[in-house]
Amino acid sequence: MSALPLFLEARFFIINNTLHSLKRESYLKIFIIFSFLVSFWIGAFLLFFKGFSYFYLFPGVGPLLIERASGLIIAGIFYMLLISSAFTSFATIFRSDEVGFFLSFPVSHNEAFFYKFIETFILSSWAVLFLILPLFLAYGLTQGLGIGFYIFSSISSIFFIFISTSLGAIVTVFFARYFPKKSFIKKAIILILPAVLFFFYAFRSTQAQTPESTGTGYVLNFMLKHTDFLQFAFFPNYWLSTAITSVAHNDMAGFYFYFLLLFVTSLFLLE
């Protein structure tokens, strides 16, 4: 019999007891934290909504600017979640005393790893999900979309977050396996330095270019040209942003394609 359900049940009781312990906390403390979270969510929504509403004023290219802006935000969330989940998985999998306790029982390594991965997924993703929902709400209100857009986008974002967290965990396991503590710094420099130099060169080459004309059409074309990197079809952020765009344009065939791509990739990483 798998021990994973027992671990999950124990975690459920821990979370339940933690929530009940809030009754012993100061009401002022709870009110301040709750007010901060609500204010942050409202502020993020207003920021996205005002920005998308401004882009929408541009005739002809307004919807395209909104799509590129939302794609840029989703790409930033993807890389942020990738790095966050990598550090979180290192703490939960390799630095947690709970892992040694689990392995003292007749539990396979796969079950223990999967349990800790679920913990990593929850710890890394709740804040991202909290941030991405006002983005969807602002996008839908700007475009005048129905309730179906929010449902499809929210479901797609869950698989997107799962893929990002899985890739972060894979990075952590790779470094733990092939970068032992004694030679970690030397190997990390050899691996990371070329990537840093590449991104620095790409950033400098982008900054060195300026529009040759100050016309609105030319400047917009210049801006759109420098967001073409968001259209890389092998990144999960492109799948999510394209799925959202397909729903907004009522292209359900395109949405189902990218949604299934997110779903199948999640199942692959789950295995």
Side-chain angles (χ1 to χ4, degrees), residues 114 117 121 155-164 166 239 259-271:
F114 185 69
F117 170 75
F121 173 74
I155 297 175
S156 301
S157 65
I158 294 175
F159 294 110
F160 164 75
I161 294 173
F162 183 85
I163 293 173
S164 305
S166 300
W239 305 343
F259 172 78
L260 290 176
L261 189 58
L262 290 167
F263 178 70
V264 172
T265 305
S266 300
L267 292 180
F268 172 77
L269 294 173
L270 185 62
E271 291 295 326

Side-chain angles (χ1 to χ4, degrees), residues 111-122:
E111 289 180 330
F113 177 83
F114 185 69
Y115 169 74
K116 301 304 291 184
F117 170 75
I118 294 177
E119 182 179 350
T120 301
F121 173 74
I122 296 175

